[in-house]
Amino acid sequence: MASFKPTKVPFLPKLGEKVTEETLYWKNYKSPVQIKEFGAITKIDFSPLPPHNYAVTASTRIHIYGPHSQEPIRSFTRFRDTAYGGRFRGDGKLLVAGSEEGLIRLFDISGRVALRQFKGHTKAVHMTSFLSDGFRVVSGSDDLSCRVWDVPSAVELSSLTEHTDYIRALAPSKLNPDLFVTGSYDHTVKVFDMRSGSSVMTMQHGHPVECVLLYPSEALLVSTGGRYVKVWDLLKGGQELVSLKNHHKTVTCACLSSVGNKLLTGSLDRHVKVYNSSYKVVHNFDCDASILSMAIAPDDEALAVGMTNGVLSVRHRRHKKDKETLTSRRRRGPSYQVFVKGKNFVPRQDDFLVSKPVKQYLRKYDKQLKSFEVSKALDTALQTWTRTSKPDVTVAVIIELKRRGTLKNALAGRNEESLTKILNFLLKHIFDPRFSRPLLMVGDIVLDLYQQVFHQSPVVERLLQRLMEVLGREAELQQELLQVLGILDTLFTSLTPRKEVAALAASPVAQESQLQAA
Amino acid sequence: MKITGLSHLFKWENLHNWWLTKYFFPPLFVLCTSGDSVKVYSTRTEEWLHSLQGHTNQVTGIALNRANHLQVYSCSADGTVKLWDFIDGILIKTFIIGYPLFAIYVSEKHDGIVFLHIAMDTDSKNECFQLVAVHLPKSAEQEVEAKELSAVSSRISPNPSCTAFGREGQYIAFARHLQLNVYFFRKQKTYSFSLKATDKKGAKNAFTCIACHPADDCIATGHEDGKIRLWRNFIHTKEYTYSTQHWHHNAVNTLCFTPEGTNLLSGGIESVLVQWQYGAGNRKEFLPRLGGSILHVSTSSDGQLFCTSHSDNKITVIESSFKVCGVIQGLVKGDAVLTDLMIDPRSKALVLNGKPGHLQFYSLMRDKHLYNLDIVQQEYIYEAGLDQFEVVKAAFDINGYWLATVEERGQKSSDLEFVLKLWAYDERTQSFVLNTTITAAHTDRIISMCFSSSEETTMLVTTAEDGQFKAWCQGADADTQQDQSFWSCEFVGSYHNLKPTNCSFSADSSLLAVNFQEVITIWSPDTWELLTTLCQPPGVVRDLCFGRLSCSKYLIATTTRNLLCCWNLLTCALEWSTSVEVSKLQPDPLSENVAAFSYQSKHTDLFVFKPSEPRPLFTHKNMCSEKIHRAVFVPREEPLNNCDESSQWLNRSQLYFLTQNMDLLTFSTATEEDRMLSSSKRLVIDDSVAVTPFYLLLGKHRQQQQKLNTPSHPAADKPQQPQGSVTITELLHTPAHVLPAASVLCSMLVSSLLISNTGVRKDPLREMESSEQEMNSEKEEEHSEEEMEACDSQQELRAQGSVDEVTPKLSKAQERELKRIRKTDFSWMTGLIDSKP
């Protein structure tokens, strides 16, 4: 015969973010590891070689950390003033960094003392980088010049002074050793070609440029500055492809994930945003302070974020392996074979199989509902774990009781303790649009039932007081929202094009319908 | 060929059985009353075997003949008691009583006497009933008038389950309101015991049913408040005792002791069968969730099977171990049919409300309940006055891939809850699977909905009391990138804040018509542009539909002010209108025809017309006296070739409609009825013989023999060769252990071995032998034999001149045989046979 139908817990979608595969991917990071540096972290760079150490430039030092170490495995401290822009060479053996005093230093990873020093800039050098041939270094400085240096001889090869403001962004091409892109506070992004010795392309970003980034294909260029992130199509002669405005403070850094080339941007507003390939924000990392620099390890194994307060926060990717070991440890019990004897038995061809009746497993509250124990079922649904982590189950049981017409019976005859539980639950969830209807009903019934005895318990009285206040506030809010809606309605009506108003005289019916359609 | 009129297809009271008995030594059959017949079902296969037809009015009760366990008495409101052989479905006798009868009881002790409920003729208003003992006269005639009536008591409740015979028929117990009476036959005395109207807790003590213990002096009574009382020691008026047991929360509908008296079964509205152990106090077993509320319980004579009948037209067969082993389900009778009548385009089954919260699929072709689809998916609580979710709207798309349902709760109270659900057909499970649940589709109740009729894109339009209509489309959600596609709202439309009531798509889905009170608006579903409005005041539009096929340019609407209008959509002008009060408009999907049911001056007329012309094709005045709100055209499996103009509209589909009394009616044509009759006859014959391997073996032979024999009657000149005999080859090739006894087979074997001579003399012997055999075993052949005899006698007349002399020893049958063989010498006959093969 028909079996008991368990209470259905309706799936009510939450408003707001939607769960997609990408959000799941980006959510799959462990909680960040925090490392305190001496000053604001201006640059983070991952070594291209495994085990992918990373260089962190902060204050007057450059620290190199291992992938899982909390302590620096090496540090370069021979800076007299603030160091800037520490970057690895393509083979991960050399590191170049600029500094506040205008000197550019070249280090060997295993050494301590600078191998070369490039002198020539008159002001601070914020950006340095190797060109892709590995024998030249390019630097951008606050003296408005952009210089290229020869590594073996430590000689300045050329100086380009096309920018009219500080140069704070630089990206060399990985495919062509003669190309690099610079971004400056004069709102422009320029592409330089060393073969011609001048800029070959200029893009107007519209805001002081903080960071430039080339896609691996080098057909697309990303520039950040102000609140904007702009993507340029270089093959179309520097045409703006898209302009994104998702941060509410200056966007200071950007990087590309190595899996699927997803764009990540960090901003002074303490957020890191992840974009999908159609440039929609799919995920968001929150940080404690304004973000100055950010880098992501190859294969997205770790995301390192440097902040103004000198804190380096590193998130490591969570692997399935870790999870499995966790769960397997938890679920270890007696082995399956102990319970199911003869599970390997294969029936022969003419054996008549008698299938075992499938036992229906019910939740505790369903069992109690099945035997019409309504108060107990409500108690079960209001257990701490269910109440806090699965309020939808609690509400589903309340709705089921309402449907059976026994909600009043279930709520009646409770003591102070269980009544406090119910009232606390109401306080927490009564505004959730998913639950408000049944919970308001519960509130009504509780008031009806216990009107006479409320004053006996100060705890309950206080809770009721709070409930009343909160409800009053909510009612006011709703009213205000309705007013806003009214205002919007009038605005929309006045925005209706005049042409249709003319048509109104001719056929009022048609006009009305267009309004509705709009 | 012409329309013969309405044929009552199903009444919902189909299995509504007051007096369900299931008896017979091997408990094989269930008998139940159904309208003016008694139906016999098999408990093993749950199949309907045959019905005992003959009464001219509602059958009110059946009871087994205690003297002969193969016979059953039935009583009817037409004033007769009939005695049947229920295994073969033969009417044995009819006793004419002369008064409408309401229940029948028999007792072991009183042979030849039946006890009947008769309405007291003094005041029929007050529903006074009398228990009467009738002595059934023994006479050989088919119809007998039974005049020996003797009143037993007049204090009888109209409920037949309030009367029961006590141990070995020594006394009879009957109750009415608050009084229990026991009449002792030996003492000829009635003892009365009465309960107070109410006790302290406000309990309702009225009696609802009675059962007597078969071996002990104990009467069990059920009460309106759900209590069961066991009365003992009632031989003395003063010193009687009773014990009370209470489990049912509502009235106990039925009580029954098992044949040994070890257990007491009870049932009520909760649909839980309760088994109380007799003499063990409160020990009981439950069998919950059986279906509708239990109306009656009975047990088989050996106590192996119980059987319950339910209010939703169902009989459940239960083993004594309290396991359900069979369900006999008719068209499920719900409280009301809230959905339209629909046809599932896939299975061509009729779909409508069934069990609470379910949709039932009922095959009209096979007259069989297919399955219930659980829409609400919640535990049903059997409680009077509880507001339950009900399926109020349902619609299929044109391919049968999608089903949309609306369930509603709280029609009476202020907080209305309703859910729109969309179900997708799953090929693998052959059933519908929930795809999308929309909890707040509209802010107010949904009035109507329809699917678009195009094959490519499916779209659902709902109209609601909040003044809006919404279009729902199936579309994959781009952001979540999931494969499954769900339904979401595509367009919200309204018109001057008026309330939309009906919506309809044109045949090619290029137009959507939604009516807002007096105004019909025509929309284009592609662009959601309002194309035009049509209006014919005064009167709010009640129903609207588009024409089909060649009439697809027409739109028909009915208004509350008795107007039937037809617009031409090409000119946007009114084509014609006529004044008729239409309660239901139903277009035929396979032809241009539209059926309109009009309710005027307390009877319903039917008009069938084509939208292109205002003259009706067919009119049927005064069809029934109730208003008709639901109707549906059911496409036929194969179209009829009907040339008669008045019934041409029934060629491609059949019209079914539902009256307010919940009768499902249809129109049938004369040929169809013939076919139905013949098919039912065939069924009866097939079912009456049990299909066993032995039958299969022998039955095949018989059929083959028959085949061989019939042509060999005349074609005597073609002898049957023994080696060619199928019987012999099969006998020789079948393993010995499955063969019947040699004595049975002997004659057959011998007869097949006989080489029939070309001479005439030998044949009759063989013929006789085989025909005798057949006559012993099968009635079927008797029929054919008789038919042949009939035609023989006709031909006899012609052949009278050439009758030879016959040996006087021969019996009549043999004489006939001989005559028949002689007649084969006619040359025209042989010519006919020669041409046949």
Side-chain angles (χ1 to χ4, degrees):
Chain A
M1 213 61 256
S3 53
F4 180 81
K5 289 171 196 159
T7 311
K8 261 219 149 158
V9 179
F11 170 73
L12 293 165
K14 269 188 191 168
L15 289 177
E17 50 186 284
K18 281 175 188 161
V19 179
T20 62
E21 253 175 62
E22 292 200 29
T23 33
L24 290 179
Y25 179 83
W26 291 107
K27 260 191 185 159
N28 200 11
Y29 279 99
K30 294 177 196 169
S31 51
V33 178
Q34 308 267 4
I35 302 164
K36 180 75 182 149
E37 290 284 341
F38 294 103
I41 297 162
T42 52
K43 181 75 194 169
I44 304 168
D45 191 32
F46 273 93
S47 161
L49 288 188
H52 303 302
N53 298 336
Y54 54 100
V56 176
T57 314
S59 182
T60 57
R61 293 144 205 251
I62 294 175
H63 289 302
I64 293 181
Y65 291 91
H68 291 289
S69 65
Q70 301 254 16
E71 293 294 313
I73 48 175
R74 187 164 297 277
S75 51
F76 302 98
T77 51
R78 299 291 174 89
F79 290 98
R80 245 158 270 147
D81 211 334
T82 319
Y84 292 115
R87 261 198 197 183
F88 285 102
R89 195 165 80 166
D91 57 1
K93 285 180 181 159
L94 293 180
L95 183 94
V96 68
S99 70
E100 185 67 40
E101 74 246 297
L103 272 177
I104 300 162
R105 292 180 176 85
L106 187 76
F107 298 95
D108 183 22
I109 288 297
S110 49
R112 204 169 258 281
V113 191
L115 293 178
R116 299 274 188 282
Q117 287 197 351
F118 307 113
K119 285 181 203 162
H121 281 297
T122 54
K123 280 188 178 167
V125 179
H126 277 266
M127 277 295 151
T128 55
S129 179
F130 286 95
L131 286 175
S132 58
D133 57 6
F135 305 124
R136 286 177 292 176
V137 166
V138 62
S139 62
S141 160
D142 285 358
D143 64 0
L144 317 183
S145 69
C146 193
R147 295 175 199 220
V148 180
W149 314 82
D150 185 34
V151 173
S153 57
V155 176
E156 181 186 320
L157 294 177
S158 67
S159 170
L160 308 153
T161 49
E162 289 190 22
H163 281 295
T164 55
D165 209 333
Y166 299 161
I167 297 166
R168 287 288 165 88
L170 192 144
S173 157
K174 286 216 172 66
L175 302 180
N176 190 327
D178 291 321
L179 280 179
F180 60 91
V181 185
T182 58
S184 154
Y185 277 9
D186 65 357
H187 302 188
T188 59
V189 175
K190 282 178 192 283
V191 180
F192 288 98
D193 190 349
M194 284 306 295
R195 291 165 294 194
S196 66
S198 67
S199 71
V200 291
M201 213 180 269
T202 305
M203 274 85 64
Q204 284 292 335
H205 181 80
H207 292 272
V209 179
E210 296 283 350
C211 177
V212 289
L213 190 67
L214 273 170
Y215 267 82
S217 65
E218 305 201 345
L220 295 179
L221 171 72
V222 180
S223 65
T224 70
R227 294 166 59 193
Y228 293 87
V229 176
K230 293 192 177 182
V231 182
W232 313 87
D233 192 343
L234 293 181
L235 297 182
K236 280 190 186 166
Q239 195 186 2
E240 185 183 307
L241 195 71
V242 71
S243 171
L244 309 166
K245 191 180 152 191
N246 294 99
H247 290 281
H248 53 266
K249 278 186 183 170
T250 307
V251 184
T252 51
C253 50
C255 64
L256 286 174
S257 77
S258 47
V259 178
N261 288 326
K262 301 286 155 30
L263 180 66
L264 290 89
T265 58
S267 150
L268 294 180
D269 66 2
R270 307 175 183 185
H271 294 301
V272 175
K273 305 229 178 222
V274 184
Y275 301 83
N276 64 7
S277 40
S278 54
Y279 299 107
K280 272 195 184 141
V281 177
V282 289
H283 193 65
N284 192 22
F285 293 104
D286 292 341
C287 295
D288 307 328
S290 303
I291 296 159
L292 286 181
S293 57
M294 177 178 61
I296 192 156
D299 296 329
D300 300 342
E301 281 305 314
L303 175 72
V305 176
M307 285 169 278
T308 46
N309 61 358
V311 173
L312 171 74
S313 121
V314 186
R315 287 161 215 259
H316 290 281
R317 190 151 191 81
R318 187 180 288 136
H319 285 283
K320 267 204 185 126
K321 251 190 289 171
D322 313 343
K323 223 190 253 173
E324 270 169 19
T325 52
L326 266 178
T327 51
S328 66
R329 209 174 297 147
R330 210 181 294 150
R331 288 224 182 129
R332 176 157 297 175
S335 69
Y336 185 63
Q337 279 167 332
V338 176
F339 289 108
V340 187
K341 277 180 192 159
K343 71 168 173 133
N344 293 327
F345 179 75
V346 182
R348 263 172 287 149
Q349 202 170 20
D350 16 323
D351 279 357
F352 183 74
L353 274 179
V354 181
S355 57
K356 215 169 144 191
V358 182
K359 203 185 166 194
Q360 189 190 19
Y361 287 97
L362 293 175
R363 303 233 163 235
K364 199 176 169 193
Y365 55 82
D366 272 333
K367 276 183 196 157
Q368 283 155 341
L369 281 175
K370 191 182 171 187
S371 50
F372 292 86
E373 292 170 315
V374 286
S375 281
K376 277 187 191 165
L378 187 60
D379 283 338
T380 316
L382 279 168
Q383 271 172 355
T384 322
W385 186 80
T386 322
R387 195 176 64 204
T388 47
S389 60
K390 283 187 174 167
D392 45 344
V393 171
T394 313
V395 174
V397 172
I398 289 174
I399 291 172
E400 174 69 15
L401 289 171
K402 165 85 189 347
R403 186 181 74 85
R404 291 168 169 235
T406 47
L407 184 55
K408 203 166 184 174
N409 305 11
L411 285 168
R414 289 180 177 268
N415 57 11
E416 186 188 54
E417 192 190 353
S418 61
L419 203 57
T420 325
K421 247 188 216 173
I422 294 172
L423 287 174
N424 274 324
F425 184 73
L426 288 187
L427 267 173
K428 197 173 170 194
H429 292 287
I430 205 159
F431 310 118
D432 197 325
R434 300 177 292 166
F435 307 142
S436 61
R437 245 176 100 146
L439 291 187
L440 279 173
M441 208 160 50
V442 170
D444 282 347
I445 294 172
V446 167
L447 283 181
D448 279 352
L449 284 172
Y450 297 97
Q451 221 166 15
Q452 312 294 328
V453 289
F454 275 139
H455 58 272
Q456 290 172 10
S457 158
V459 184
V460 173
E461 217 166 9
R462 214 178 308 130
L463 280 173
L464 278 173
Q465 199 73 34
R466 264 179 64 200
L467 191 63
M468 198 179 73
E469 282 168 23
V470 171
L471 278 174
R473 237 181 290 145
E474 180 70 14
E476 272 172 38
L477 190 73
Q478 296 276 354
Q479 207 166 1
E480 277 171 35
L481 281 174
L482 280 176
Q483 284 169 358
V484 171
L485 266 182
I487 295 167
L488 285 177
D489 271 351
T490 43
L491 277 176
F492 283 134
T493 328
S494 61
L495 274 175
T496 317
R498 197 164 282 173
K499 199 176 78 188
E500 286 187 17
V501 178
L504 180 76
S507 68
V509 176
Q511 201 270 329
E512 177 79 14
S513 72
Q514 270 156 3
L515 261 183
Q516 297 298 344
Chain B
M1 191 186 302
K2 64 179 212 183
I3 297 175
T4 51
L6 302 177
S7 75
H8 268 259
L9 187 72
F10 323 96
K11 277 205 163 186
W12 249 269
E13 282 83 8
N14 231 347
L15 296 176
H16 182 85
N17 34 351
W18 271 127
W19 209 240
L20 167 95
T21 43
K22 180 173 60 61
Y23 285 110
F24 198 47
F25 177 56
L28 280 176
F29 300 102
V30 175
L31 301 169
C32 73
T33 67
S34 157
D36 56 0
S37 65
V38 177
K39 287 193 171 177
V40 183
Y41 289 89
S42 157
T43 53
R44 289 269 172 78
T45 61
E46 300 146 35
E47 289 286 324
W48 171 64
L49 299 179
H50 50 86
S51 43
L52 313 177
Q53 278 168 330
H55 283 291
T56 52
N57 206 332
Q58 180 95 25
V59 180
T60 48
I62 44 179
L64 202 73
N65 185 3
R66 297 278 171 156
N68 185 347
H69 279 263
L70 303 178
Q71 292 177 349
V72 70
Y73 288 112
S74 70
C75 74
S76 156
D78 63 1
T80 56
V81 171
K82 287 182 194 256
L83 184 65
W84 307 85
D85 177 349
F86 64 84
I87 295 175
D88 297 327
I90 302 166
L91 175 64
I92 298 169
K93 255 181 197 178
T94 307
F95 303 100
I96 300 162
I97 310 292
Y99 306 102
L101 310 171
F102 295 97
I104 188 166
Y105 310 94
V106 291
S107 144
E108 292 165 49
K109 212 182 154 199
H110 302 84
D111 198 19
I113 297 175
V114 292
F115 294 83
L116 298 162
H117 272 189
I118 292 177
M120 291 229 304
D121 33 18
T122 45
D123 51 342
S124 54
K125 255 187 218 167
N126 229 352
E127 284 214 343
C128 248
F129 288 88
Q130 207 174 11
L131 185 69
V132 179
V134 179
H135 191 81
L136 298 175
K138 282 180 182 164
S139 94
E141 286 169 63
Q142 271 275 334
E143 285 199 12
V144 192
E145 275 194 55
K147 287 295 171 199
E148 276 182 65
L149 272 69
S150 56
V152 177
S153 173
S154 58
R155 282 173 289 180
I156 289 288
S157 143
N159 184 354
S161 50
C162 277
T163 308
F165 275 96
R167 177 161 65 106
E168 291 156 9
Q170 286 179 358
Y171 55 90
I172 184 166
F174 43 93
R176 187 180 170 197
H177 301 311
L178 292 160
Q179 200 172 43
L180 172 70
N181 304 303
V182 183
Y183 178 81
F184 290 92
F185 289 106
R186 193 169 296 165
K187 293 182 198 166
Q188 305 257 328
K189 223 174 173 184
T190 309
Y191 292 149
S192 302
F193 314 97
S194 56
L195 292 167
K196 284 178 202 145
T198 49
D199 61 12
K200 284 169 215 157
K201 286 175 183 170
K204 294 167 278 180
N205 277 331
F207 288 92
T208 52
C209 53
I210 286 186
C212 294
H213 196 277
D216 205 355
D217 276 332
C218 175
I219 301 174
T221 58
H223 297 265
E224 234 168 61
D225 58 350
K227 280 186 185 131
I228 294 171
R229 288 191 169 88
L230 293 169
W231 303 73
R232 287 190 182 85
N233 211 9
F234 42 80
I235 300 157
H236 316 284
T237 336
K238 291 279 157 62
E239 291 147 39
Y240 70 92
T241 55
Y242 65 77
S243 58
T244 312
Q245 285 169 337
H246 198 174
W247 183 86
H248 294 277
H249 70 69
N250 227 320
V252 183
N253 279 345
T254 174
L255 282 171
C256 179
F257 276 104
T258 51
E260 285 81 29
T262 47
N263 291 312
L264 172 67
L265 301 166
S266 69
I269 189 186
E270 310 89 345
S271 182
V272 181
L273 182 67
V274 188
Q275 188 180 33
W276 310 78
Q277 251 183 43
Y278 181 71
N282 232 354
R283 209 182 294 167
K284 49 191 179 283
E285 271 185 82
F286 304 106
L287 188 61
R289 284 179 282 280
L290 287 172
S293 57
I294 297 175
L295 294 182
H296 201 93
V297 178
S298 64
T299 62
S300 65
S301 51
D302 58 354
Q304 288 301 308
L305 291 176
F306 311 140
C307 162
T308 57
S309 73
H310 300 263
S311 60
D312 61 349
N313 222 351
K314 185 166 93 169
I315 295 174
T316 313
V317 184
I318 298 159
E319 286 173 19
S320 56
S321 57
F322 248 46
K323 252 186 215 161
V324 174
C325 64
V327 175
I328 300 163
Q329 173 81 67
L331 189 64
V332 179
K333 179 193 176 190
D335 298 330
V337 175
L338 301 164
T339 59
D340 274 333
L341 296 181
M342 282 163 304
I343 294 298
D344 176 18
R346 220 167 250 283
S347 61
K348 303 281 183 282
L350 183 72
V351 180
L352 68 165
N353 282 117
K355 273 159 69 176
H358 288 65
L359 280 182
Q360 63 173 321
F361 286 65
Y362 196 90
S363 169
L364 292 167
M365 316 250 173
R366 292 190 287 143
D367 192 6
K368 201 170 176 201
H369 182 266
L370 297 181
Y371 63 98
N372 279 314
L373 180 66
D374 187 1
I375 302 293
V376 173
Q377 298 184 329
Q378 271 175 343
E379 178 73 4
Y380 186 79
I381 310 293
Y382 292 94
E383 197 180 310
L386 193 62
D387 205 357
Q388 309 267 15
F389 267 109
E390 274 298 337
V391 184
V392 291
K393 295 274 177 305
F396 281 98
D397 81 331
I398 193 154
N399 297 323
Y401 267 111
W402 291 99
L403 166 69
T405 58
V406 177
E407 63 207 55
E408 213 173 81
R409 192 179 88 103
Q411 284 99 333
K412 296 150 213 162
S413 61
S414 55
D415 52 337
L416 177 82
E417 290 173 57
F418 60 92
V419 183
L420 173 66
K421 279 181 179 167
L422 285 137
W423 306 76
Y425 190 79
D426 188 0
E427 295 278 356
R428 202 170 50 79
T429 57
Q430 297 283 306
S431 166
F432 284 92
V433 179
L434 185 61
N435 178 274
T436 311
T437 310
I438 302 163
T439 42
H442 284 271
T443 52
D444 211 339
R445 172 180 296 136
I446 292 175
I447 302 171
S448 69
M449 63 179 178
C450 67
F451 271 100
S452 71
S453 36
S454 74
E455 300 264 338
E456 297 92 45
T457 54
T458 46
M459 183 190 286
L460 177 73
V461 172
T462 55
T463 66
E465 280 182 356
D466 58 356
Q468 287 176 331
F469 74 88
K470 288 188 181 179
W472 307 86
C473 267
Q474 183 201 6
D477 199 338
D479 289 336
T480 47
Q481 292 167 347
Q482 275 161 327
D483 298 333
Q484 278 180 305
S485 51
F486 299 105
W487 289 71
S488 54
C489 185
E490 196 194 65
F491 176 72
V492 183
S494 67
Y495 182 79
H496 286 293
N497 255 338
L498 293 174
K499 198 194 285 176
T501 45
N502 281 299
C503 54
S504 174
F505 274 98
S506 66
D508 58 350
S509 288
S510 61
L511 293 176
L512 168 70
V514 183
N515 79 292
F516 292 87
Q517 291 182 351
E518 294 94 349
V519 188
I520 299 171
T521 55
I522 309 287
W523 305 74
S524 151
D526 300 325
T527 57
W528 291 114
E529 210 178 333
L530 179 68
L531 299 174
T532 182
T533 59
L534 306 167
C535 186
Q536 187 69 25
V540 176
V541 175
R542 190 189 277 162
D543 212 343
L544 86 171
C545 69
F546 279 93
R548 303 275 151 179
L549 305 175
S550 67
C551 296
S552 55
K553 60 183 176 183
Y554 296 105
L555 174 71
I556 306 155
T558 62
T559 66
T560 51
R561 294 290 187 88
N562 302 353
L563 214 56
L564 177 64
C565 311
C566 178
W567 281 277
N568 188 336
L569 291 170
L570 299 177
T571 58
C572 290
L574 189 70
E575 191 90 358
W576 53 268
S577 73
T578 169
S579 175
V580 64
E581 157 85 36
V582 176
S583 61
K584 173 75 189 166
L585 204 60
Q586 184 67 37
D588 183 359
L590 294 180
S591 65
E592 294 97 341
N593 303 320
V594 177
F597 293 92
S598 131
Y599 184 70
Q600 266 167 337
S601 58
K602 299 215 167 170
H603 58 83
T604 300
D605 304 331
L606 170 70
F607 301 99
V608 180
F609 59 93
K610 278 188 185 175
S612 50
E613 49 188 322
R615 245 172 297 110
L617 288 170
F618 172 77
T619 356
H620 193 289
K621 293 268 182 190
N622 205 351
M623 194 167 59
C624 58
S625 56
E626 296 114 12
K627 208 167 180 175
I628 283 161
H629 281 294
R630 319 254 177 243
V632 72
F633 274 100
V634 182
R636 283 183 198 277
E637 261 180 349
E638 43 195 64
L640 295 179
N641 289 319
N642 220 339
C643 307
D644 192 11
E645 204 165 300
S646 66
S647 59
Q648 233 168 15
W649 61 281
L650 282 171
N651 274 1
R652 309 211 51 188
S653 36
Q654 228 174 334
L655 181 65
Y656 285 80
F657 50 92
L658 190 71
T659 64
Q660 275 179 330
N661 281 2
M662 308 264 282
D663 293 340
L664 189 63
L665 305 177
T666 184
F667 270 99
S668 59
T669 52
T671 44
E672 255 178 291
E673 278 190 349
D674 295 347
R675 205 170 354 139
M676 265 165 76
L677 269 178
S678 63
S679 74
S680 67
K681 201 181 258 175
R682 201 175 59 229
L683 257 178
V684 170
I685 290 161
D686 285 350
D687 284 337
S688 60
V689 181
V691 179
T692 57
F694 183 56
Y695 162 77
L696 285 176
L697 186 71
L698 276 187
K700 220 195 293 169
H701 290 167
R702 282 206 199 99
Q703 278 165 9
Q704 280 165 351
Q705 269 183 352
Q706 231 175 311
K707 261 187 221 161
L708 284 170
N709 285 345
T710 31
S712 73
H713 283 300
D717 46 348
K718 287 178 194 166
Q720 204 181 354
Q721 295 301 316
Q723 62 268 29
S725 163
V726 191
T727 324
I728 289 172
T729 48
E730 200 142 326
L731 276 178
L732 293 176
H733 283 98
T734 354
H737 63 276
V738 296
L739 280 175
S743 58
V744 179
L745 289 173
C746 185
S747 61
M748 214 198 298
L749 185 74
V750 169
S751 70
S752 59
L753 282 172
L754 286 174
I755 301 170
S756 55
N757 224 339
T758 40
V760 187
R761 287 290 156 206
K762 264 200 177 167
D763 261 2
L765 276 173
R766 210 191 77 201
E767 238 23 88
M768 259 148 44
E769 215 172 56
S770 65
S771 70
E772 259 167 24
Q773 234 178 46
E774 280 156 26
M775 269 197 318
N776 288 343
S777 55
E778 265 190 74
K779 269 173 275 151
E780 193 182 351
E781 268 159 51
E782 265 175 17
H783 275 285
S784 61
E785 207 93 284
E786 271 161 19
E787 275 166 33
M788 259 184 237
E789 275 164 16
C791 77
D792 282 353
S793 59
Q794 277 183 358
Q795 282 157 347
E796 228 177 296
L797 289 171
R798 292 185 204 164
Q800 252 172 359
S802 62
V803 180
D804 274 16
E805 273 210 40
V806 191
T807 3
K809 278 176 223 161
L810 290 178
S811 70
K812 256 190 178 178
Q814 285 166 327
E815 256 178 46
R816 257 188 233 134
E817 286 297 329
L818 280 173
K819 275 174 198 163
R820 189 199 303 164
I821 282 126
R822 204 171 301 129
K823 170 198 67 216
T824 54
D825 292 335
F826 287 105
S827 56
W828 61 270
M829 196 70 167
T830 42
L832 196 83
I833 275 98
D834 285 341
S835 65
K836 248 184 188 173

